Amino acid sequence: MSDRVVMITGGAGTIGRMLLDRPARERWRSVVLDPTPLPEPFASRGDVEQVLGSLTDADAVRHAMREATDVVHLGALSTEDEWEAILDVNVTGTRTVLDAAEEHGVGRFVYASSNHAVGFYAPSDAGPDGRLADDAPPRPDTYYGWSKAAGEALVRLYCERGSMRGVALRIGHCFPEPLTGPRLPVWLSPGDARGLVDASLHHDIEPFQIVWGVSANARSWCSLEGGRRIGFAPQDDSERYADRFPDAAGVDPDEPLGAHFVHMPLGQSSAVR
Ligand SMILES: NC(=O)c1ccc[n+]([C@@H]2O[C@H](COP(=O)([O-])OP(=O)(O)OC[C@H]3O[C@@H](n4cnc5c(N)ncnc54)[C@H](O)[C@@H]3O)[C@@H](O)[C@H]2O)c1
């Protein structure tokens, strides 16, 4: 028997594999719902079960949810795409996962939102403390970013009406190492991603809150307050990679948070993240 069974949608993706990349924990299991098979070594771990299926399929979602105590909802089209596809997977799919979570009575719902929900803010829009609030009103930069803002509001709806507690993580740039200079301020390291999700699952929290998902980057201008409230103490700093990007000398006060997303054509699928 496990005390904690965490259902992870999209768990075979970049962040899902980061979350699984740790030693097994006592009385803790993960159930991954993803149409993409988990690679080794995760596929053959005794504490990880995989349900091959889509979060748009209510039966598959209910099956993956059958023993869940909590949900980490990562599954999504994770960059710009056609409007219908974004609506189907990121919006209706999120409602399907929320319906199953509520029906099953899960405790925590951790939602992977994105900096692209607020991608049009620039450092010059920050508050008197020089930081952008965790719950700054949405200013999406793409249909993708809009779907993440819609998802935040949908999670809030279910949490405020019911007994589930929700945390929406406005994730910055979460890759093993920063991929571009303009993303240095919003990098979220793998270790900090695990710490952030752990804090979201464990800490005593309000029914719903929004928290920035960025590391302790010297260049960050995102609030640390929401993370502090849930006991998240980021450890990493993208500055150690800064010499790889000599063109990104500092923080441009007018560079939008969403970087290149603000220029992407709306509704065109893109491999660039
Ligand atoms: N990595 C980042 O920098 C970043 C930044 C902001 C937000 N996010 C968000 O965090 C989440 C995880 O990001 P990631 O980088 O791991 O993305 P990813 O694209 O690497 O992984 C997404 C996973 O979701 C799965 N998926 C897609 N459609 C699905 C469906 N219909 N049903 C079930 N699973 C489905 C994919 O197979 C994939 O394994 C996403 O919601 C993304 O929008 C990521």
Side-chain angles (χ1 to χ4, degrees), residues 8-270:
I8 309 178
T9 69
T14 307
I15 298 180
R17 283 178 276 119
M18 285 176 191
L19 299 183
L20 297 173
D21 189 14
R22 66 197 303 173
R25 284 170 282 182
E26 214 175 310
R27 302 175 75 81
W28 184 295
R29 283 196 308 118
S30 303
V31 180
V32 166
L33 174 69
D34 201 308
T36 305
L38 273 170
E40 292 297 347
F42 311 111
S44 51
R45 276 188 36 180
D47 62 329
V48 179
E49 178 191 342
Q50 170 148 201
V51 174
L52 281 175
S54 172
L55 57 87
T56 58
D57 173 351
D59 290 337
V61 175
R62 264 190 239 109
H63 178 66
M65 193 77 75
R66 69 199 185 282
E67 293 178 83
T69 54
D70 306 276
V71 173
V72 176
H73 179 35
L74 306 175
L77 298 176
S78 57
T79 183
E80 183 62 339
D81 216 310
E82 291 167 10
W83 173 250
E84 288 75 15
I86 291 273
L87 268 189
D88 183 39
V89 179
N90 293 12
V91 180
T92 308
T94 295
R95 188 189 67 162
T96 302
V97 179
L98 282 162
D99 277 337
E102 185 179 70
E103 187 184 303
H104 183 68
V106 310
R108 290 287 157 98
F109 196 98
V110 182
Y111 174 62
S113 183
S114 168
N115 65 99
H116 297 293
V118 287
F120 269 105
Y121 287 97
S124 52
D125 298 313
D129 62 351
R131 298 203 169 247
L132 185 62
D134 291 272
D135 60 353
R139 286 179 70 184
D141 55 26
T142 41
Y143 291 155
Y144 163 70
W146 171 85
S147 76
K148 292 295 178 178
E152 290 176 354
L154 205 54
V155 175
R156 175 171 221 142
L157 169 68
Y158 278 69
C159 292
E160 293 195 333
R161 286 177 67 102
S163 59
M164 218 159 32
R165 304 231 147 187
V167 188
L169 309 175
R170 283 186 174 167
I171 300 169
H173 177 69
C174 188
F175 293 93
E177 296 176 357
L179 301 176
T180 68
R183 306 309 272 156
L184 288 168
V186 291
W187 183 55
L188 177 66
S189 73
D192 286 337
R194 287 188 287 273
L196 179 59
V197 171
D198 283 353
S200 306
L201 289 173
H202 284 117
H203 212 266
D204 207 11
I205 54 171
E206 297 149 24
F208 174 80
Q209 67 190 84
I210 300 176
V211 174
W212 273 112
V214 297
S215 283
N217 306 316
R219 301 184 191 205
S220 173
W221 48 280
C222 298
S223 165
L224 300 168
E225 201 36 52
R228 234 180 251 133
R229 266 190 281 142
I230 63 165
F232 170 51
Q235 303 296 311
D236 294 314
D237 183 347
S238 59
E239 214 51 34
R240 58 191 274 237
Y241 300 100
D243 57 1
R244 292 187 190 173
F245 309 104
D247 290 349
V251 175
D252 175 349
D254 299 317
E255 169 76 18
L257 194 61
H260 57 290
F261 273 54
V262 306
H263 305 296
M264 277 182 181
L266 281 179
Q268 289 187 21
S269 64
S270 160

